[in-house]
Amino acid sequence: MNVPPGVVDGQRIRLAGQGGRGTGDAPAGDLYLRVRILPHPRFRLDGRNVHVHLPVAPWEAALGATVPVPTPGGTAKVTVPPGSSSGRRLRLRGEGMPNPRGPNGDFYAEIRVMVPPELTDRERELFEELGRTSSFDPRRER
């Protein structure tokens, strides 16, 4: 059996005439299957929308960048706007789950700014210089 495209979690699929035999000479009934979509280690499904975390370096988030993002169908390129913070969602319209009866879902890449776990001496110097020269205070209300 092939599962039709666009099936979502909890949806029922009807298989006409593939159920139990009828009594006497009655034809077989219909078989109904309830679809359950297992969680994926990378992607999260919300209705027809697909979500993924997108790790970016601090300089990519601050300056903007075009970065690869994994999708269920391969890899796409997204543009991280300058000044992006963790939690910002980038939307790829219509790139989520297909919908045979309407518009497809969307694909969302949620930015996660990642800091190097260990800094080289030069990286430490640059971050210290940035700390001394920047007036940015992430704890100040905007």
Side-chain angles (χ1 to χ4, degrees):
M1 178 200 137
N2 289 328
V3 176
V7 172
V8 294
D9 191 58
Q11 185 172 339
R12 287 189 337 167
I13 298 176
R14 177 177 165 239
L15 302 175
Q18 295 187 30
R21 298 176 66 91
T23 56
D25 289 335
D30 296 340
L31 174 65
Y32 289 89
L33 303 175
R34 178 139 343 250
V35 174
R36 291 291 175 221
I37 298 177
L38 296 175
H40 189 276
R42 176 174 284 165
F43 304 108
R44 183 176 60 82
L45 193 57
D46 179 18
R48 293 193 182 280
N49 296 327
V50 178
H51 298 260
V52 69
H53 290 149
L54 177 61
V56 298
W59 47 91
E60 292 172 324
L63 303 173
T66 300
V67 298
V69 61
T71 69
T75 301
K77 295 274 188 182
V78 294
T79 300
V80 176
S84 293
S85 294
S86 286
R88 182 174 194 164
R89 294 187 319 164
L90 307 177
R91 177 179 171 193
L92 292 135
R93 187 185 310 262
E95 297 297 320
M97 288 280 287
N99 185 356
R101 295 187 183 97
N104 290 345
D106 295 326
F107 184 87
Y108 291 95
E110 185 176 320
I111 292 175
R112 298 291 168 123
V113 179
M114 306 297 290
V115 178
E118 294 183 30
L119 298 176
T120 65
D121 290 344
R122 179 65 178 139
E123 288 170 330
R124 179 171 301 287
E125 287 173 19
L126 291 169
F127 275 115
E128 288 171 350
E129 181 180 342
L130 179 61
R132 286 190 303 274
T133 60
S134 178
S135 62
F136 175 66
D137 181 356
R139 290 162 297 282
R140 185 176 61 217
E141 298 214 17
R142 291 171 236 206

PDB file of all heavy atoms in Angstrom, residues 61-77:
ATOM      1  N   ALA A  61      25.071  35.748  12.467  1.00  0.00           N
ATOM      2  CA  ALA A  61      23.860  36.370  13.006  1.00  0.00           C
ATOM      3  C   ALA A  61      23.985  37.891  13.015  1.00  0.00           C
ATOM      4  O   ALA A  61      23.040  38.602  12.686  1.00  0.00           O
ATOM      5  CB  ALA A  61      23.589  35.859  14.414  1.00  0.00           C
ATOM      6  N   ALA A  62      25.151  38.394  13.385  1.00  0.00           N
ATOM      7  CA  ALA A  62      25.341  39.847  13.480  1.00  0.00           C
ATOM      8  C   ALA A  62      25.438  40.511  12.114  1.00  0.00           C
ATOM      9  O   ALA A  62      24.835  41.560  11.874  1.00  0.00           O
ATOM     10  CB  ALA A  62      26.598  40.153  14.295  1.00  0.00           C
ATOM     11  N   LEU A  63      26.171  39.910  11.207  1.00  0.00           N
ATOM     12  CA  LEU A  63      26.446  40.534   9.912  1.00  0.00           C
ATOM     13  C   LEU A  63      25.494  40.101   8.803  1.00  0.00           C
ATOM     14  O   LEU A  63      25.399  40.759   7.770  1.00  0.00           O
ATOM     15  CB  LEU A  63      27.878  40.207   9.474  1.00  0.00           C
ATOM     16  CG  LEU A  63      28.982  40.618  10.454  1.00  0.00           C
ATOM     17  CD1 LEU A  63      30.328  40.088   9.995  1.00  0.00           C
ATOM     18  CD2 LEU A  63      29.003  42.125  10.617  1.00  0.00           C
ATOM     19  N   GLY A  64      24.807  38.972   9.003  1.00  0.00           N
ATOM     20  CA  GLY A  64      23.976  38.394   7.954  1.00  0.00           C
ATOM     21  C   GLY A  64      24.799  37.427   7.125  1.00  0.00           C
ATOM     22  O   GLY A  64      26.017  37.572   7.007  1.00  0.00           O
ATOM     23  N   ALA A  65      24.141  36.421   6.587  1.00  0.00           N
ATOM     24  CA  ALA A  65      24.845  35.412   5.801  1.00  0.00           C
ATOM     25  C   ALA A  65      23.833  34.572   5.033  1.00  0.00           C
ATOM     26  O   ALA A  65      22.653  34.532   5.385  1.00  0.00           O
ATOM     27  CB  ALA A  65      25.687  34.514   6.716  1.00  0.00           C
ATOM     28  N   THR A  66      24.317  33.907   4.017  1.00  0.00           N
ATOM     29  CA  THR A  66      23.527  32.886   3.337  1.00  0.00           C
ATOM     30  C   THR A  66      24.097  31.553   3.787  1.00  0.00           C
ATOM     31  O   THR A  66      25.298  31.302   3.624  1.00  0.00           O
ATOM     32  CB  THR A  66      23.620  33.036   1.808  1.00  0.00           C
ATOM     33  OG1 THR A  66      23.115  34.327   1.460  1.00  0.00           O
ATOM     34  CG2 THR A  66      22.808  31.979   1.103  1.00  0.00           C
ATOM     35  N   VAL A  67      23.245  30.717   4.388  1.00  0.00           N
ATOM     36  CA  VAL A  67      23.712  29.463   4.977  1.00  0.00           C
ATOM     37  C   VAL A  67      22.847  28.303   4.493  1.00  0.00           C
ATOM     38  O   VAL A  67      21.678  28.488   4.158  1.00  0.00           O
ATOM     39  CB  VAL A  67      23.696  29.529   6.526  1.00  0.00           C
ATOM     40  CG1 VAL A  67      24.633  30.616   7.030  1.00  0.00           C
ATOM     41  CG2 VAL A  67      22.301  29.740   7.058  1.00  0.00           C
ATOM     42  N   PRO A  68      23.425  27.100   4.482  1.00  0.00           N
ATOM     43  CA  PRO A  68      22.637  25.932   4.110  1.00  0.00           C
ATOM     44  C   PRO A  68      21.752  25.502   5.283  1.00  0.00           C
ATOM     45  O   PRO A  68      22.132  25.649   6.441  1.00  0.00           O
ATOM     46  CB  PRO A  68      23.692  24.863   3.807  1.00  0.00           C
ATOM     47  CG  PRO A  68      24.890  25.271   4.599  1.00  0.00           C
ATOM     48  CD  PRO A  68      24.838  26.775   4.698  1.00  0.00           C
ATOM     49  N   VAL A  69      20.560  25.000   4.961  1.00  0.00           N
ATOM     50  CA  VAL A  69      19.657  24.480   5.981  1.00  0.00           C
ATOM     51  C   VAL A  69      19.161  23.115   5.500  1.00  0.00           C
ATOM     52  O   VAL A  69      18.790  22.962   4.334  1.00  0.00           O
ATOM     53  CB  VAL A  69      18.484  25.450   6.267  1.00  0.00           C
ATOM     54  CG1 VAL A  69      17.631  25.680   5.045  1.00  0.00           C
ATOM     55  CG2 VAL A  69      17.615  24.929   7.410  1.00  0.00           C
ATOM     56  N   PRO A  70      19.196  22.111   6.383  1.00  0.00           N
ATOM     57  CA  PRO A  70      18.693  20.799   5.971  1.00  0.00           C
ATOM     58  C   PRO A  70      17.172  20.822   5.871  1.00  0.00           C
ATOM     59  O   PRO A  70      16.495  21.420   6.708  1.00  0.00           O
ATOM     60  CB  PRO A  70      19.159  19.878   7.102  1.00  0.00           C
ATOM     61  CG  PRO A  70      19.267  20.762   8.291  1.00  0.00           C
ATOM     62  CD  PRO A  70      19.665  22.115   7.767  1.00  0.00           C
ATOM     63  N   THR A  71      16.637  20.202   4.836  1.00  0.00           N
ATOM     64  CA  THR A  71      15.197  20.049   4.666  1.00  0.00           C
ATOM     65  C   THR A  71      14.928  18.560   4.458  1.00  0.00           C
ATOM     66  O   THR A  71      15.853  17.801   4.142  1.00  0.00           O
ATOM     67  CB  THR A  71      14.670  20.849   3.459  1.00  0.00           C
ATOM     68  OG1 THR A  71      15.149  20.241   2.263  1.00  0.00           O
ATOM     69  CG2 THR A  71      15.079  22.309   3.520  1.00  0.00           C
ATOM     70  N   PRO A  72      13.683  18.125   4.622  1.00  0.00           N
ATOM     71  CA  PRO A  72      13.408  16.703   4.381  1.00  0.00           C
ATOM     72  C   PRO A  72      13.764  16.258   2.961  1.00  0.00           C
ATOM     73  O   PRO A  72      14.075  15.101   2.741  1.00  0.00           O
ATOM     74  CB  PRO A  72      11.899  16.594   4.622  1.00  0.00           C
ATOM     75  CG  PRO A  72      11.599  17.690   5.578  1.00  0.00           C
ATOM     76  CD  PRO A  72      12.521  18.820   5.179  1.00  0.00           C
ATOM     77  N   GLY A  73      13.775  17.191   2.003  1.00  0.00           N
ATOM     78  CA  GLY A  73      14.078  16.825   0.621  1.00  0.00           C
ATOM     79  C   GLY A  73      15.509  17.089   0.200  1.00  0.00           C
ATOM     80  O   GLY A  73      15.853  16.917  -0.958  1.00  0.00           O
ATOM     81  N   GLY A  74      16.362  17.527   1.110  1.00  0.00           N
ATOM     82  CA  GLY A  74      17.747  17.836   0.759  1.00  0.00           C
ATOM     83  C   GLY A  74      18.228  19.044   1.528  1.00  0.00           C
ATOM     84  O   GLY A  74      17.941  19.196   2.704  1.00  0.00           O
ATOM     85  N   THR A  75      18.946  19.919   0.848  1.00  0.00           N
ATOM     86  CA  THR A  75      19.483  21.115   1.479  1.00  0.00           C
ATOM     87  C   THR A  75      19.019  22.338   0.702  1.00  0.00           C
ATOM     88  O   THR A  75      19.011  22.332  -0.518  1.00  0.00           O
ATOM     89  CB  THR A  75      21.026  21.072   1.500  1.00  0.00           C
ATOM     90  OG1 THR A  75      21.435  19.894   2.218  1.00  0.00           O
ATOM     91  CG2 THR A  75      21.607  22.280   2.199  1.00  0.00           C
ATOM     92  N   ALA A  76      18.627  23.379   1.435  1.00  0.00           N
ATOM     93  CA  ALA A  76      18.243  24.650   0.825  1.00  0.00           C
ATOM     94  C   ALA A  76      19.178  25.732   1.364  1.00  0.00           C
ATOM     95  O   ALA A  76      19.892  25.517   2.340  1.00  0.00           O
ATOM     96  CB  ALA A  76      16.789  24.987   1.164  1.00  0.00           C
ATOM     97  N   LYS A  77      19.183  26.871   0.721  1.00  0.00           N
ATOM     98  CA  LYS A  77      19.950  28.030   1.193  1.00  0.00           C
ATOM     99  C   LYS A  77      18.960  29.055   1.728  1.00  0.00           C
ATOM    100  O   LYS A  77      17.931  29.308   1.117  1.00  0.00           O
ATOM    101  CB  LYS A  77      20.748  28.656   0.047  1.00  0.00           C
ATOM    102  CG  LYS A  77      21.817  27.763  -0.526  1.00  0.00           C
ATOM    103  CD  LYS A  77      23.073  27.905   0.253  1.00  0.00           C
ATOM    104  CE  LYS A  77      24.191  27.147  -0.475  1.00  0.00           C
ATOM    105  NZ  LYS A  77      25.419  27.203   0.239  1.00  0.00           N
TER     106      LYS A  77
END
